[in-house]
Amino acid sequence: MAKLKRNILAIAFVVGHISADAQMTSHDAEQAAWIQAVTSSMVYTEKLYTTKAVVIDADKNGLRAIDVNGLSDFYRNKGWKKVESLQSIGATDANVHIGYEIVTFKAGDESYTQLIIWNQKNGGPLRELEVIGRSVNQGNVTAEVLDAPRAKWIRLCNEHDPLKLVAELYTADAMYYNHKPMIVGTEAIAKEYWYMGNSSYQLSLTPIVIEMVNPDLAFEIGQCSGSYNGKYVLVWKKSADKGWQVALDSNI
């Protein structure tokens, strides 16, 4: 595990892996506004989310996209009376209008984790992509369980075999998001990854923050290096027969 920077020592109790590039984020005001919205009857999507925001509910049955126009009803139906943010950890990007953050919070007797991509253009920061999952004590499961599937992802990518990469490491209903309409399913994602077939394409993934949400769900923010040098986001899901696979992939 990478040595923690001084400015995140206070949050070293986070379950998962934090590299030296992780840092505290500055979206406290936006998170406070979100908490006010989800614990009240106000309609808030226009104020807190981009017009084409993608929100994913990661429950035990898989990932489910929520229409941005139905977000107020989605959260209102949860009936939360009190929400308390526990902490947030994020990663900056050279592309200054994009921010990445993982937030943990309590709502009633339940704990949750959010993975957020912030768009800081046009009056932002606004939420462009959000994944929410219920947090459960994962026992002895640690972030190191993702080392092998991530290494395999890198190997197959650099062997220029996107079809095999997606077939072996992505869930059947996996999602890929890159400032476009969401791409769903392994066949469509493999087509989107056509450029990996170029013999000169090389990529490495270095995790910055990993949050083990529950025994079958993990959120990862990391840094790409090689042919693409931006940030990446992975949502990992574990299945009984195939182990840890990518359920959502984004590299905006």
Side-chain angles (χ1 to χ4, degrees), residues 13-200:
F13 60 85
V14 177
V15 177
H17 172 110
I18 309 171
S19 88
D21 292 323
Q23 59 185 298
M24 293 297 288
T25 56
S26 57
H27 297 114
D28 291 347
E30 289 75 24
Q31 185 66 7
W34 183 86
I35 289 173
Q36 181 183 8
V38 299
T39 54
S40 70
S41 59
M42 64 184 292
V43 177
Y44 58 92
T45 53
E46 291 182 2
K47 296 181 179 179
L48 304 182
Y49 294 80
T50 63
T51 56
K52 296 182 180 180
V54 176
V55 176
I56 306 295
D57 180 22
D59 61 24
K60 63 182 179 179
N61 296 317
L63 273 59
R64 177 171 63 99
I66 308 299
D67 189 316
V68 69
N69 295 317
L71 275 181
S72 294
D73 289 337
F74 169 70
Y75 280 116
R76 189 180 298 119
N77 289 339
K78 291 186 174 296
W80 292 337
K81 301 300 182 183
K82 181 181 179 181
V83 173
E84 177 186 2
S85 280
L86 301 181
Q87 70 170 47
S88 61
I89 305 174
T92 57
D93 196 279
N95 196 3
V96 294
H97 72 279
I98 295 294
Y100 305 82
E101 186 173 21
I102 292 176
V103 177
T104 57
F105 66 93
K106 287 199 70 174
D109 295 328
E110 302 285 355
S111 296
Y112 293 87
T113 304
Q114 284 178 326
L115 171 65
I116 304 169
I117 296 181
W118 294 95
N119 190 319
Q120 300 176 119
K121 281 186 173 181
N122 303 320
L126 298 174
R127 294 163 185 249
E128 179 166 330
L129 184 142
E130 173 185 301
V131 185
I132 181 172
R134 193 165 69 89
S135 306
V136 178
N137 190 322
Q138 60 272 19
N140 295 325
V141 180
T142 66
E144 283 70 25
V145 298
L146 301 178
D147 289 349
R150 187 188 309 104
K152 184 176 181 179
W153 194 104
I154 295 169
R155 176 176 61 81
L156 292 176
C157 170
N158 294 334
E159 289 176 356
H160 316 297
D161 196 344
L163 289 174
K164 186 175 182 180
L165 165 68
V166 175
E168 294 191 7
L169 283 174
Y170 284 61
T171 63
D173 55 353
M175 304 176 183
Y176 175 68
Y177 181 68
N178 185 19
H179 285 311
K180 301 174 182 178
M182 185 71 78
I183 296 171
V184 180
T186 52
E187 183 177 351
I189 294 173
K191 288 180 180 178
E192 185 70 13
Y193 274 164
W194 62 268
Y195 52 85
M196 290 183 183
N198 189 318
S199 60
S200 64

Side-chain angles (χ1 to χ4, degrees), residues 202-246:
Q202 293 290 317
L203 198 66
S204 184
L205 306 180
T206 302
I208 295 173
V209 181
I210 298 173
E211 180 75 9
M212 304 302 294
V213 181
N214 60 54
D216 302 315
L217 179 68
F219 295 163
E220 177 173 337
I221 301 171
Q223 178 67 50
C224 297
S225 58
S227 298
Y228 172 72
N229 291 300
K231 294 289 186 296
Y232 71 86
V233 163
L234 293 173
V235 173
W236 297 91
K237 287 282 289 182
K238 183 183 179 182
S239 67
D241 56 339
K242 294 189 176 181
W244 288 96
Q245 293 184 296
V246 175

